[in-house]
Amino acid sequence: TRTPPWSGLSDSTFAALELKETYRPPIPAYCPEPFKKLIEQCWDHDAYKRPTFQSILSSLEAMMVGCTVDTELFAKEADERLE
């Protein structure tokens, strides 16, 4: 979205929400499901359950094969953000 995940919150408020209340910014609806799952895995409360960097890299490489972007939806979302 090219907007900070804490848009509308002060840095200290965002940090407090993130650390104490496990706040996570919403994942845009147009985000492909495999990417959404990877993001959520990286956000796991238990650091030992989070994927390693090598695992993240492998997942991203696999997801990029045959990856398509719904350019119409992407353009619509971008236009709405600019309004």
Side-chain angles (χ1 to χ4, degrees), residues 5-69:
W6 59 91
S7 183
L9 300 173
S10 69
D11 289 342
S12 59
T13 300
F14 177 75
L17 287 171
E18 185 178 33
L19 293 173
K20 294 184 179 182
E21 299 178 27
T22 64
Y23 171 78
R24 299 293 186 246
I27 298 173
Y30 58 84
C31 181
E33 190 64 28
F35 289 93
K36 179 182 179 207
K37 287 182 180 180
L38 180 59
I39 292 167
E40 290 171 342
Q41 289 172 354
C42 292
W43 286 344
D44 196 300
H45 183 68
D46 183 345
Y48 293 101
K49 291 182 180 178
R50 296 178 197 151
T52 63
F53 184 77
Q54 184 59 48
S55 175
I56 293 169
L57 183 59
S58 296
S59 294
L60 289 172
E61 287 173 343
M63 285 186 254
M64 293 308 294
V65 174
C67 181
T68 59
V69 175

